[in-house]
Amino acid sequence: FNSRLLDRVQLTITAGPTREAIDPVRYISNHSSGKMGYALASAAADAGAQVTLISGPTNLPCPDRVKRIDVISAADMHGAAMAMMGECQIFIACAAVADYRPNNCADQKIKKDNDSMRIDLVRNPDIVSAVASHSLRPFTIGFAAETQDLLRYARGKLERKKLDMIVANDVANTSIGFNANDNAVTVLTANGEQNIAQMGKNQLAAQLIQLIAQQFLNVQS
Ligand code: C5P
């Protein structure tokens, strides 16, 4: 294994959750820890890549030799990702982007004046789809976290989002996936499928980066 497989390749990773503001003190978010994305950033830097990590709010330190762009909302993450187009050869979408955001963020803290309340939500942009449809399209990898019908949904996303590769993750199994230290995945491409057995996220990240590098270099040549 050539440890400098991605020497000087420009690689962008999105990681962590996004936060969608309801008012100045409240937001909608999810349980993503960012661990998998940060592990990938670190493994890609080890492989020689120039890594930009677009990160939602996490408690993780920025890995060595990685440039981090901090974002809060899906809209911010989308903007930061689009700004990387043209200087990005590989894009890995590992973030757990909120699918919806409140239609309006209230200017002031909302008071509990009523017995019930409604929050009107609107769809967020699909960042990885926007990247894969861009005229300066990088080699694009997505993740599919599912609780059922994992491979069928993952292949559907690979096709619908026009990805080069998708990493399928069974989040019904609590020993892997969200917040866990271990992960086990199946990697799907248009014409292949490969399992990576359960192991620590850092070790898995190294294997994933190796697979991504091989596919990327195949497409290049
Ligand atoms: O459709 P779903 O959210 O399951 O797709 C997951 C993949 O799409 C992940 O790679 C995730 O980072 C990416 N995604 C995105 N922008 C969104 C929603 C998902 O980039 N708004």
Side-chain angles (χ1 to χ4, degrees):
F1 166 48
N2 176 359
S3 66
R4 305 293 291 181
L5 217 46
L6 291 177
D7 223 4
R8 287 188 297 276
V9 172
Q10 293 171 313
L11 186 148
T12 301
I13 303 180
T14 65
T18 65
R19 284 182 187 167
E20 311 300 326
I22 298 170
D23 70 15
V25 297
R26 304 183 178 96
Y27 57 81
I28 296 171
S29 192
N30 60 64
H31 290 298
S32 169
S33 63
K35 279 177 195 161
M36 194 65 231
Y38 276 60
L40 284 166
S42 180
D46 287 345
Q50 288 170 19
V51 182
T52 302
L53 179 62
I54 303 175
S55 178
T58 70
N59 291 316
L60 303 172
C62 184
D64 287 344
R65 292 161 289 125
V66 168
K67 179 184 160 196
R68 186 170 71 177
I69 299 174
D70 291 313
V71 297
I72 308 280
S73 67
D76 297 342
M77 188 174 276
H78 179 253
M82 290 301 111
M84 292 308 295
M85 295 300 101
E87 46 178 310
C88 167
Q89 294 161 278
I90 302 179
F91 186 92
I92 307 177
C94 201
V97 182
D99 291 322
Y100 294 88
R101 67 176 180 277
N103 195 13
N104 298 301
C105 174
D107 289 338
Q108 305 295 333
K109 184 179 172 189
I110 299 169
K111 306 306 286 180
K112 46 182 173 298
D113 295 334
N114 299 304
D115 289 339
S116 66
M117 72 170 283
R118 288 173 186 276
I119 300 172
D120 194 22
L121 301 176
V122 292
R123 273 293 282 275
N124 269 329
D126 191 309
I127 298 166
V128 78
S129 292
V131 166
S133 305
H134 198 277
S135 56
L136 301 170
R137 185 186 193 283
F139 188 82
T140 309
I141 300 105
F143 275 71
E146 303 291 347
T147 54
Q148 59 176 347
D149 271 339
L150 176 63
L151 297 184
R152 192 168 61 84
Y153 282 134
R155 192 158 289 284
K157 280 176 196 180
L158 179 76
E159 289 163 10
R160 195 170 61 251
K161 297 183 188 235
K162 301 187 171 69
L163 309 177
D164 294 295
M165 192 186 258
I166 194 154
V167 182
N169 194 177
D170 176 6
V171 288
N173 179 347
T174 52
S175 69
I176 59 177
F178 277 154
N179 251 311
N181 288 315
D182 276 13
N183 206 350
V185 299
T186 305
V187 179
L188 309 176
T189 56
N191 43 31
E193 201 172 300
Q194 192 165 332
N195 291 311
I196 306 183
Q198 182 168 346
M199 59 180 80
K201 283 185 176 171
N202 291 331
Q203 203 187 343
L204 184 95
Q207 292 217 9
L208 277 176
I209 288 297
Q210 194 180 342
L211 270 179
I212 290 166
Q214 282 162 354
Q215 288 284 331
F216 168 72
L217 296 168
N218 271 342
V219 172
Q220 296 291 294
S221 59

